[in-house]
Amino acid sequence: MKTQGHKILFLIALITFTLGYSQIKISGKVTFKNKGVNEVNVTLKDTYDGATTDAQGNFSFNTTEKGSHKITFTHPKYEEIEKEITIENQDVVVNTDLKEQISEIDAVVVSAGSIEASDRKRATALLTPLDIYTTAGADGQITSALTYLPGVQKVGESEGLFIRGGTASESKIFMDGSLINNYFSNSVPGIAGRDQFNTSLFKGNIFSSGGYSALYGQALSGALMLESVDLPDQSSYNFGVSPIFLSGGFQKLGEQKNYSYGASAGYSLLSLMQKVFNFNTDFIDAPQGLNGDVNFRFKTKSGGFFKYYGMFNTNKMGVKTESLEPGYEFGLVRLKGKTMYHNLSFRQKFGKYLLNVGGSYSYNRSDLNFSTETKGVEDNYSQLLTDGNYINFKTVLERKINKISALRGGFELNNTNENLNFESVQKHYKDLISSAFIETDLGFSNALSAKIGVRAENSSYLGKSNIAPRFALAYRLSDKWTTNVAYGIFYQNPESKYINGPADLGFQKSQHYIFQLLRSSEGRSLRFEAFYKKYDQLIKTYNILPGNQQSQQIQTALNNDGYGYAKGLELFWRDNKKTFKNIDYWITYSFLDSKRDFINYPVSLKPGFAAEHTLSAVVKRFIPEWKLGVNLSYTYAKGRPYYDIATEMKNGETINYTRNEGRLKDYNALNISFNYVPSIGKKDAKSFTVFVLSISNVLGSKNVYGYNFSTDGSRSSAVVPPVNTFVFVGAFFSFGVDKTEDAINNNL
């Protein structure tokens, strides 16, 4: 038995020795761009043999396999590689060079000049609807909230987005790709109109302060692209109440969850607040408005999606001011405004293609009546009546090339039909702007991508065409750092309000140069941007009538001899609950150096709407145990310049000259708001309630927006906010859907 045991042990040793002797070593090195890659899994296919590369990319393992085999190299960040090898009686050396795995998530995105807030960009989302509602001082308005981002000037006396030294008319706003020609309500001179569109209507936005996509045009400075919501999660009802408005609405979701429809209405009146606060503005007719909207959304069986949105708004107000003209005690202006907007869009996928078709119709009517009053008697009546019809149609076809590359193109038609009547000035303006565009996103790697596009336009009124190329490039420097550069040419028709007589006019033009450095990490974002804009072919005008406030609006275009520039630096920092528990804050700083010779400027001047230095800070703190949100915002802006520009005739030639000029006091405003989210009703009830208290300009700073001057320039009056400090109190109720937890989780 002992001898038998020795034989068995000898046989086992012999087999072990034989197997060990027959093993073959497979080794090699795995590289990417000539650098070793660690943690690559190297496997002999259909076997258990393999290894993982070290820090230098080297690997080795033994195998007893023979013949033809496949060896695979896998790593999450690189494409899998498979190689054929033959194993005989000698060691095998296999080297390979990896290719980067292209991923939509990992790929760098071109972002020069733009800030995006959408579901797709939730990690770095800015100014989502919740952001806007909880920004103190924004009053729930998208455009007001944008003034707390870099590049947007704080101009209180006029509505619109004043971007990087550009006028409000040089920025355009789009809904689902279609132009909105009447985004703001009608108003009187010196008082800014409000957003007419409900912030909750939009699920995201892309705000571009320069270098925007070739899919959009007719804006020298920037664009705001709004994306409306899709089907709701479920049916709901809501209403709101405050001392200045009442509102209510509903959304009904179909049983199959393939369609929805809804409507809302609201009424506002400021008269009660006039009795509570000491207004700077004497409203002889308190501002009031009636608005409503309807929507319908439908998803087809083939995956297509229709959206319809319709809105109407009527508003009126009357303002009384001390007259600057001798012989009159007061000047009065009364407004009756009416607007309407309809938007229909459709999108459908056809294999690798995505079709987006959209159209919109806008109607706007502004009826301004001017008069004077002396000893209680009104006279010197005049009327400025404008109305316009606008039709926009747009088609975009997009094809995916690969995961991070795409090609898109299409065409757009924008038709304008306007009438204006003011004393001796009567006009009927018609124009059809036809546009075609093509653009490609090129993803060369996860670290390098580009956007190249070109847009061509033709104006029937001007009888001229243009071609505008645009280019942007993004490169990832490291995991957290990205750099962007962009260049583009942008054209825009002269503002129709200046076309009050015959003149040989062409497109206005701007060129954008942008450099951006971006650092992004979870919950934090740092953005530095430098830009230079060159303006050419700007419109030069002269006043048809002398002096007074209303006639300043009636200027006539002479030519395209205007020019200018804008250059600056911007800094944006956001920290969303990473440094301080439950505290989200952001800080922005903008430096702007700009000069222009345009409209009725006698020489190249710093524009009256451009502040050299602007600093903003927004802080949001949610206290979960109290269900209370506390929000602060602060804005400082260096005093803007102001000018009193007059027109006179010398030797048969029209000459503009500056009679009075100076600089406004610096702008300061601290705002605070509170949002209380209580639990109401039964524990399992689907309801949501928010009580809001908002105080704008808490410290009561006496800000000045500009000055009005008499016809001869000897007298002036300051343009100031309607009220220095305003308090808003309101309650908003929603039934059918409980968003309380969402509000808390998102730091309401």
Side-chain angles (χ1 to χ4, degrees):
M1 290 296 294
K2 187 174 181 181
T3 303
Q4 185 72 21
H6 287 162
K7 289 181 179 180
I8 294 173
L9 289 174
F10 175 76
L11 182 60
I12 293 173
L14 180 62
I15 293 172
T16 303
F17 174 78
T18 303
L19 289 174
Y21 182 78
S22 64
Q23 281 189 337
I24 300 300
K25 180 181 179 182
I26 299 178
S27 62
K29 185 171 186 176
V30 181
T31 58
F32 175 68
K33 295 183 178 179
N34 298 321
K35 291 184 178 180
V37 181
N38 68 335
E39 296 184 356
V40 178
N41 292 320
V42 185
T43 306
L44 198 62
K45 198 170 183 179
D46 298 327
T47 75
Y48 293 103
D49 300 333
T52 302
T53 58
D54 60 19
Q56 287 73 44
N58 298 313
F59 71 92
S60 68
F61 62 91
N62 294 325
T63 184
T64 59
E65 301 290 333
K66 296 289 184 178
S68 296
H69 285 274
K70 293 180 179 179
I71 187 169
T72 61
F73 302 84
T74 59
H75 189 284
K77 291 187 177 181
Y78 303 93
E79 292 184 5
E80 180 177 313
I81 291 180
E82 189 172 274
K83 286 192 171 186
E84 293 270 359
I85 63 171
T86 300
I87 306 173
E88 294 179 338
N89 296 320
Q90 295 180 341
D91 292 345
V92 179
V93 177
V94 184
N95 297 322
T96 190
D97 191 37
L98 299 178
K99 293 182 179 180
E100 186 177 21
Q101 177 72 41
I102 302 299
S103 167
E104 288 184 90
I105 296 176
D106 296 330
V108 65
V109 177
V110 175
S111 61
S114 67
I115 292 179
E116 180 170 348
S118 69
D119 293 338
R120 293 169 297 170
K121 301 289 182 182
R122 192 168 295 280
T124 57
L126 292 165
L127 292 191
T128 59
L130 193 63
D131 274 325
I132 294 164
Y133 282 126
T134 57
T135 297
D139 301 326
Q141 300 183 91
I142 296 174
T143 57
S144 294
L146 288 176
T147 63
Y148 295 97
L149 293 182
V152 184
Q153 295 284 296
K154 192 77 172 181
V155 179
E157 71 274 23
S158 180
E159 65 278 355
L161 293 170
F162 294 79
I163 302 173
R164 291 180 173 175
T167 67
S169 66
E170 292 174 14
S171 61
K172 291 291 188 291
I173 302 176
F174 302 84
M175 175 180 175
D176 294 331
S178 294
L179 179 65
I180 303 176
N181 279 287
N182 52 353
Y183 184 84
F184 300 95
S185 64
N186 292 292
S187 190
V188 303
I191 298 178
R194 291 180 56 84
D195 290 20
Q196 297 191 96
F197 292 76
N198 191 330
T199 299
S200 298
L201 172 67
F202 305 105
K203 64 181 180 181
N205 63 77
I206 301 175
F207 170 60
S208 174
S209 53
Y212 58 88
S213 165
L215 272 63
Y216 306 93
Q218 286 294 301
L220 292 184
S221 293
L224 173 62
M225 286 73 84
L226 302 171
E227 186 178 2
S228 67
V229 297
D230 295 326
L231 291 172
D233 295 330
Q234 57 195 70
S235 300
S236 63
Y237 303 86
N238 64 81
F239 69 91
V241 58
S242 83
I244 62 174
F245 75 82
L246 289 171
S247 65
F250 73 92
Q251 288 292 321
K252 178 66 176 178
L253 180 65
E255 291 184 3
Q256 302 299 318
K257 296 188 175 181
N258 62 338
Y259 73 91
S260 71
Y261 59 89
S264 68
Y267 175 73
S268 61
L269 180 62
L270 200 65
S271 58
L272 178 60
M273 304 307 287
Q274 284 183 268
K275 299 176 181 179
V276 178
F277 296 101
N278 182 23
F279 273 67
N280 298 320
T281 303
D282 183 5
F283 287 109
I284 51 177
D285 297 317
Q288 60 177 300
L290 176 66
N291 63 83
D293 63 63
V294 294
N295 63 77
F296 177 76
R297 307 176 185 107
F298 176 69
K299 184 182 292 184
T300 67
K301 292 182 179 180
S302 60
F305 199 15
F306 283 95
K307 291 183 185 179
Y308 165 74
Y309 173 78
M311 175 274 292
F312 78 90
N313 181 41
T314 62
N315 70 314
K316 66 178 183 178
M317 70 177 76
V319 175
K320 182 178 181 179
T321 58
E322 290 189 16
S323 176
L324 297 175
E325 305 303 328
Y328 305 107
E329 294 178 352
F330 299 100
L332 297 87
V333 56
R334 292 181 173 88
L335 164 75
K336 290 181 180 179
K338 181 186 297 183
T339 59
M340 185 185 301
Y341 180 77
H342 299 275
N343 184 295
L344 179 64
S345 64
F346 172 72
R347 70 172 183 262
Q348 172 80 61
K349 279 189 176 182
F350 301 96
K352 294 183 179 180
Y353 292 89
L354 174 63
L355 176 67
N356 279 281
V357 181
S360 66
Y361 167 73
S362 305
Y363 172 75
N364 189 75
R365 177 185 174 90
S366 173
D367 185 357
L368 285 169
N369 288 271
F370 301 92
S371 62
T372 58
E373 179 181 305
T374 305
K375 296 181 179 180
V377 178
E378 283 190 58
D379 56 10
N380 295 318
Y381 293 97
S382 61
Q383 181 187 43
L384 173 58
L385 179 63
T386 59
D387 67 73
N389 292 272
Y390 312 90
I391 299 174
N392 180 263
F393 178 80
K394 190 173 187 177
T395 298
V396 182
L397 183 64
E398 178 176 335
R399 186 189 190 280
K400 275 280 190 180
I401 300 173
N402 55 40
K403 291 182 180 180
I404 58 174
S405 297
L407 178 67
R408 64 187 69 88
F411 66 91
E412 181 178 9
L413 300 173
N414 192 24
N415 187 75
T416 299
N417 189 332
E418 293 179 341
N419 293 284
L420 180 145
N421 292 279
F422 181 68
E423 297 187 355
S424 61
V425 181
Q426 295 185 356
K427 75 172 183 182
H428 183 199
Y429 174 80
K430 297 178 69 175
D431 187 25
L432 174 63
I433 300 176
S434 308
S435 309
F437 48 83
I438 187 169
E439 181 179 81
T440 181
D441 294 332
L442 298 175
F444 302 104
S445 69
N446 286 339
L448 180 65
S449 63
K451 187 187 292 288
I452 303 172
V454 63
R455 183 181 181 91
E457 298 176 332
N458 174 267
S459 166
S460 65
Y461 178 84
L462 300 178
K464 297 178 181 178
S465 301
N466 66 64
I467 297 179
R470 297 167 194 181
F471 169 80
L473 184 71
Y475 178 70
R476 177 177 287 120
L477 302 172
S478 64
D479 289 342
K480 296 180 180 179
W481 289 93
T482 304
T483 185
N484 283 260
V485 293
Y487 168 78
I489 295 178
F490 303 84
Y491 290 97
Q492 185 173 351
N493 278 39
E495 283 188 73
S496 59
K497 70 178 183 180
Y498 296 134
I499 302 177
N500 300 312
D504 183 16
L505 303 174
F507 295 102
Q508 301 179 103
K509 178 183 176 182
S510 69
Q511 296 182 67
H512 296 195
Y513 302 83
I514 303 170
F515 170 79
Q516 181 194 90
L517 189 62
L518 177 67
R519 185 185 190 278
S520 295
S521 60
E522 185 179 356
R524 293 191 180 101
S525 179
L526 175 65
R527 180 172 174 264
F528 168 82
E529 197 156 291
F531 67 90
Y532 175 77
K533 289 199 298 185
K534 184 176 183 293
Y535 297 97
D536 294 295
Q537 301 161 208
L538 299 180
I539 293 300
K540 293 291 295 181
T541 68
Y542 72 95
N543 292 352
I544 291 180
L545 302 174
N548 68 58
Q549 187 176 351
Q550 62 266 33
S551 66
Q552 289 289 335
Q553 301 176 80
I554 309 301
Q555 300 180 38
T556 289
L558 288 170
N559 51 51
N560 285 88
D561 292 345
Y563 60 91
Y565 73 86
K567 58 185 178 181
L569 302 173
E570 297 171 356
L571 184 68
F572 175 85
W573 164 256
R574 184 169 189 176
D575 185 335
N576 191 352
K577 297 177 285 186
K578 294 299 292 183
T579 304
F580 307 103
K581 184 179 180 181
N582 292 330
I583 292 181
D584 174 20
Y585 72 94
W586 70 77
I587 299 172
T588 68
Y589 168 74
S590 300
F591 166 73
L592 175 63
D593 176 17
S594 179
K595 274 192 173 183
R596 283 187 171 203
D597 182 3
F598 81 130
I599 53 172
N600 61 345
Y601 281 25
V603 293
S604 179
L605 300 170
K606 291 183 180 295
F609 46 79
E612 290 178 279
H613 304 279
T614 304
L615 175 68
S616 293
V618 175
V619 182
K620 303 178 181 183
R621 168 75 162 93
F622 190 77
I623 307 172
E625 56 271 24
W626 295 352
K627 295 187 177 181
L628 178 69
V630 182
N631 313 299
L632 293 168
S633 71
Y634 172 75
T635 298
Y636 163 84
K638 183 72 175 175
R640 295 181 277 128
Y642 67 85
Y643 309 102
D644 171 25
I645 299 174
T647 301
E648 67 177 22
M649 297 291 295
K650 283 188 178 181
N651 301 322
E653 182 181 358
T654 301
I655 295 177
N656 295 327
Y657 66 99
T658 303
R659 291 182 302 200
N660 299 283
E661 61 182 298
R663 184 177 291 276
L664 303 174
K665 61 179 293 189
D666 294 351
Y667 177 91
N668 286 276
L670 175 66
N671 312 292
I672 186 170
S673 68
F674 302 90
N675 307 285
Y676 176 55
V677 191
S679 297
I680 64 172
K682 297 180 180 179
K683 188 175 182 180
D684 59 348
K686 295 179 178 179
S687 60
F688 176 64
T689 304
V690 180
F691 294 101
V692 177
L693 169 63
S694 177
I695 308 173
S696 61
N697 193 16
V698 176
L699 303 180
S701 301
K702 298 185 182 301
N703 294 308
V704 177
Y705 295 147
Y707 289 93
N708 290 320
F709 291 89
S710 61
T711 303
D712 60 8
S714 61
R715 290 167 295 280
S716 66
S717 63
V719 179
V720 296
V723 62
N724 291 331
T725 300
F726 189 76
V727 178
F728 170 82
V729 180
F732 302 88
F733 306 89
S734 179
F735 301 95
V737 55
D738 184 5
K739 296 183 179 180
T740 304
E741 291 301 317
D742 290 342
I744 294 173
N745 293 335
N746 286 281
N747 235 6
L748 181 69

